[in-house]
């Protein structure tokens, strides 16, 4: 448990540090290098378009990241007749449901010390549980993080291509870039800043692929009306049309949340809460 609590602190710090490094590289290195291209025009230049795209992706990724933390799943133990709430619920070893309650998919998280409905998993990078209230923002966070990493990867490859006078037309060029760069760095032929950018290229690739894969997997579970917790516990869910499953998570005004980071408006959980 101590290791998990430590990870719950280190993982968010790691994400924020990588986000800060990416922002600094984009604003102070990649985008200025695009402005130095004599073949581009000042109006609608690739540098301006890329800068606007990166700021849009970053704002959505960080905005939804904050909303995932802000929209924490409610502690259902406070609304149930459970005595001391979390202290009583902490005794559930299976975590499948609350005593005296038939609420589906309720789970007690020992790290968050609360009971959440439609529990999916505990995200260490946000230090928070993912449930009915913040699932949509978590999906958007994964989506825009993967797109921001892909954008940074392309910009970084363009910078390295110009700095080292090399081409990535051959797919093997990217695979052999790291070992060749390490040998050149220790021989003194490669600057430390260029070596750092090359290392970040592989980090962006790994984070981008991981977030994209996680986002696709999460969307598949949503279409099926399932959560990762239900799949892990082997729970049987009631079959519903996939449109209803999407509407429950994304709400009716899903397009608004796709363009800007906003709270989940129009979702079924809010109507259930009002009842």
């Amino acid at each position: 448990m101590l290791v998990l609590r430590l990870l719950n602190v280190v993982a968010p710090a790691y994400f924020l540090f990588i986000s800060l490094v990416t922002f600094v590289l984009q604003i102070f290195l990649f985008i200025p290098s695009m402005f130095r291209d004599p073949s581009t025009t000042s109006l609608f230049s690739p540098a301006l378009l890329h800068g606007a795209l990166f700021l849009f992706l970053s704002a959505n990724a960080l905005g939804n990241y904050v909303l995932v933390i802000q929209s924490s799943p409610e502690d259902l133990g406070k609304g149930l007749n459970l005595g001391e709430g979390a202290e009583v619920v902490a005794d559930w070893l299976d975590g499948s449901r609350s005593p005296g309650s038939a609420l589906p998919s309720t789970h007690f998280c020992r790290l968050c010390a609360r009971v959440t409905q439609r529990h999916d998993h505990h995200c260490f990078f946000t230090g928070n549980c993912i449930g009915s209230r913040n699932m949509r923002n978590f999906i958007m966070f994964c989506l825009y993080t993967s797109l921001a990493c892909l954008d940074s990867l392309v910009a970084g490859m363009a910078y390295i291509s110009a700095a080292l006078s090399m081409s990535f037309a051959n797919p093997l060029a990217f695979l052999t870039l790291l070992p060749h760069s390490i040998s050149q760095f220790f021989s003194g032929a490669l600057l430390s800043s260029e070596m750092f950018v090359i290392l970040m290229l592989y980090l962006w690739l790994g984070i981008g692929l991981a977030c994209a894969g996680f986002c696709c997997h999460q969307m598949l579970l949503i279409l099926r009306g399932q959560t990762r917790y239900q799949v892990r516990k082997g729970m049987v869910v009631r079959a519903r049309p996939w449109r209803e499953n999407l509407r429950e998570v994304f709400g009716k005004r899903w397009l608004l949340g796709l363009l800007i980071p906003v709270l989940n408006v129009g979702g079924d959980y809010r109507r259930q809460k009002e009842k």
Side-chain angles (χ1 to χ4, degrees):
M1 182 59 66
L2 180 61
V3 176
L4 295 180
R5 293 187 183 276
L6 180 62
L7 182 61
N8 213 36
V9 176
V10 173
Y14 171 78
F15 170 77
L16 294 176
F17 174 75
I18 294 299
S19 300
L20 178 62
V21 170
T22 301
F23 183 83
V24 171
L25 289 177
Q26 286 271 16
I27 299 300
F28 296 102
L29 191 62
F30 299 160
I31 296 179
S33 66
M34 297 178 186
F35 276 110
R36 291 195 293 266
D37 189 355
S39 63
T40 61
T41 58
S42 58
L43 186 62
F44 297 111
S45 65
L48 290 177
L49 295 177
H50 173 78
L53 176 61
F54 173 72
L55 291 178
F56 171 75
L57 297 177
S58 300
N60 275 276
L62 293 177
N64 282 286
Y65 180 83
V66 173
L67 290 179
V68 169
I69 301 175
Q70 180 182 351
S71 305
S72 301
E74 293 176 297
D75 188 357
L76 298 180
K78 295 180 180 179
L80 299 173
N81 187 16
L82 299 177
E84 295 298 326
E87 294 182 2
V88 176
V89 180
D91 294 332
W92 319 342
L93 297 179
D94 58 346
S96 58
R97 59 181 181 176
S98 58
S101 172
L103 291 176
S105 305
T106 54
H107 174 69
F108 175 76
C109 178
R110 298 180 182 275
L111 293 175
C112 296
R114 59 170 170 251
V115 188
T116 59
Q117 188 175 9
R118 287 200 63 81
H119 175 84
D120 189 86
H121 68 285
H122 181 90
C123 177
F124 288 99
F125 285 97
T126 61
N128 199 9
C129 279
I130 307 302
S132 58
R133 295 190 63 187
N134 54 9
M135 174 58 74
R136 199 276 302 274
N137 294 118
F138 178 75
I139 294 293
M140 292 295 101
F141 161 67
C142 292
L143 174 63
Y144 280 105
T145 299
S146 63
L147 293 178
C149 287
L150 176 62
D151 177 83
S152 301
L153 176 63
V154 173
M157 291 175 64
Y159 173 81
I160 291 298
S161 178
L164 302 183
S165 300
M166 62 176 299
S167 175
F168 289 97
N170 186 356
L172 295 178
F174 185 81
L175 298 178
T176 58
L177 175 62
L178 183 59
H180 289 170
S181 301
I182 293 177
S183 61
Q184 292 179 359
F185 174 74
F186 284 107
S187 63
L190 191 65
L191 297 177
S192 57
S193 60
E194 296 172 346
M195 185 65 207
F196 180 75
V197 172
I198 292 174
L199 293 176
M200 290 299 299
L201 293 181
Y202 291 91
L203 185 60
W204 287 325
L205 177 63
I207 296 177
L209 291 178
C211 289
F214 198 91
C215 182
C216 293
H217 175 68
Q218 206 70 42
M219 284 298 301
L220 180 61
L221 292 178
I222 292 175
L223 291 174
R224 294 175 177 175
Q226 294 177 308
T227 63
R228 292 182 60 191
Y229 176 74
Q230 291 173 334
V231 174
R232 188 171 67 252
K233 292 294 183 178
M235 298 180 180
V236 180
V237 297
R238 180 171 59 90
R240 296 188 306 176
W242 61 270
R243 289 186 178 86
E244 293 185 10
N245 297 327
L246 285 178
R247 190 180 302 114
E248 181 181 7
V249 175
F250 292 93
K252 292 183 178 180
R253 289 172 282 180
W254 57 270
L255 185 58
L256 180 64
L258 187 62
L259 298 177
I260 57 176
V262 293
L263 291 173
N264 193 356
V265 289
D268 289 345
Y269 79 92
R270 285 188 179 273
R271 291 192 294 271
Q272 293 173 0
K273 180 181 178 181
E274 293 174 357
K275 293 179 182 180

